[in-house]
């Protein structure tokens, strides 16, 4: 399940991301309202967690602009306030639910999953690229009838490529998606994992599905 978290408290965001990852969420985090709005409009998410008090653009404005743009992704607002007026304002701007800080992590998870269920959105049951089948929920992969065992990071890199099959994806895009949106390490780490994937999903089956596009990035081809 993909989530966008817009929260300016870095410590809280870090704790939540760790816990949410354990619950099966893939979390993109930004700390600024304007960045959050851009990310929400350009990405595809199952749910958005949106703090009210944000630099750049507050949560109410972010939510209102999302809805005005036709974006119907479920939004859960976090607020340090706990008044009827604040709740009403959040719901009137298009938020689907809210939690007042401090809150129980168990309650947060329950609310998020309920929002996703009500919206009819689900984590992708399976991705099919040619005869390559990928199941994000179970972290399993098959080439034709043969299951291919991948590490968690290998799977994450492959899923990133598979979600945009036949498109060129840069190393930076992959690193930000798989490791962290603020990743500042050596981008050659992406090459290491792509090479590992080729040894597992291509070479044993006589395929060349992961193509290197010189100076641009990588493309997972539906025709290998």
């Amino acid at each position: 399940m993909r989530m966008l978290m817009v929260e300016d408290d870095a410590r809280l965001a870090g704790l939540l991301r760790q816990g949410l990852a354990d619950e099966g969420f893939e979390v993109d985090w930004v700390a600024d309202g304007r960045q959050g709005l851009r990310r929400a409009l350009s990405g595809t998410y199952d749910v958005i967690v949106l703090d009210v008090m944000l630099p750049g653009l507050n949560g109410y404005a972010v939510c209102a602009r999302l809805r005005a743009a036709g974006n119907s992704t479920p939004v859960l607002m976090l607020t340090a306030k706990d008044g009827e007026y604040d709740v009403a304002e959040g719901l009137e701007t298009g938020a689907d639910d809210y939690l007042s800080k401090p809150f129980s992590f168990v309650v947060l998870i329950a609310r998020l999953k309920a929002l996703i269920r009500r919206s009819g959105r689900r984590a992708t049951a399976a991705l099919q690229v040619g005869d390559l089948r990928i199941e994000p929920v179970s972290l399993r992969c098959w080439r034709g009838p043969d299951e291919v065992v991948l590490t968690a990071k290998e799977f994450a890199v492959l899923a990133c490529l598979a979600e945009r099959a036949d498109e060129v994806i840069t190393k930076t895009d992959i690193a930000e998606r798989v490791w962290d949106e603020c990743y500042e390490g050596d981008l050659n780490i992406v090459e290491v994992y792509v090479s590992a994937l080729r040894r597992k999903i291509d070479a044993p089956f006589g395929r060349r599905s992961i193509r290197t596009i010189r100076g641009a990035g990588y493309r997972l081809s539906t025709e290998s």
Side-chain angles (χ1 to χ4, degrees):
M1 294 172 282
R2 291 200 67 200
M3 172 197 295
L4 173 64
M5 181 191 304
V6 191
E7 168 61 64
D8 64 336
D9 184 333
R11 181 176 178 277
L12 174 61
L15 292 171
L16 290 177
R17 290 180 75 190
Q18 183 176 351
L20 288 162
D22 292 339
E23 293 291 331
F25 286 88
E26 180 182 320
V27 184
D28 290 345
W29 170 60
V30 295
D32 175 272
R34 294 189 186 280
Q35 288 182 321
L37 179 61
R38 286 195 294 270
R39 186 69 69 90
L41 291 173
S42 63
T44 301
Y45 297 99
D46 295 292
V47 68
I48 297 171
V49 173
L50 181 62
D51 191 24
V52 171
M53 304 302 292
L54 292 167
L57 200 64
N58 69 43
Y60 298 135
V62 172
C63 190
R65 295 188 188 188
L66 273 178
R67 298 308 187 225
N71 188 305
S72 60
T73 304
V75 172
L76 185 147
M77 299 197 79
L78 300 179
T79 175
K81 304 175 181 179
D82 190 18
E84 291 183 4
Y85 174 78
D86 303 303
V87 173
E89 185 173 359
L91 296 177
E92 285 176 3
T93 58
D96 300 276
D97 201 354
Y98 77 97
L99 273 179
S100 297
K101 299 175 183 177
F103 52 82
S104 162
F105 182 74
V106 174
V107 172
L108 173 65
I109 293 298
R111 295 279 190 91
L112 291 172
K113 290 183 177 180
L115 283 177
I116 294 171
R117 284 196 302 270
R118 289 203 299 267
S119 72
R121 294 170 182 245
R122 295 292 185 275
T124 305
L127 296 170
Q128 192 80 33
V129 182
D131 66 346
L132 187 67
R133 179 181 173 84
I134 303 161
E135 291 191 354
V137 174
S138 62
L139 301 183
R140 299 175 71 186
C141 169
W142 289 264
R143 173 68 81 181
D146 300 311
E147 184 166 4
V148 181
V149 178
L150 303 176
T151 67
K153 276 289 190 288
E154 289 168 351
F155 189 92
V157 172
L158 180 59
C160 183
L161 294 167
E163 287 174 1
R164 294 167 56 186
D166 291 321
E167 295 182 27
V168 177
I169 305 178
T170 67
K171 289 182 184 179
T172 299
D173 286 342
I174 295 172
E176 290 181 349
R177 171 73 182 276
V178 174
W179 279 269
D180 188 273
E181 66 272 8
C182 299
Y183 182 76
E184 296 180 352
D186 189 345
L187 290 177
N188 287 332
I189 189 66
V190 177
E191 293 182 18
V192 173
Y193 280 91
V194 167
S195 295
L197 284 171
R198 285 171 169 154
R199 289 194 298 270
K200 291 185 176 183
I201 69 168
D202 279 350
F205 304 96
R207 307 298 175 82
R208 294 182 61 239
S209 62
I210 303 179
R211 308 293 180 88
T212 298
I213 310 301
R214 297 297 178 187
Y218 301 99
R219 181 180 67 229
L220 180 63
S221 176
T222 54
E223 297 180 0
S224 56

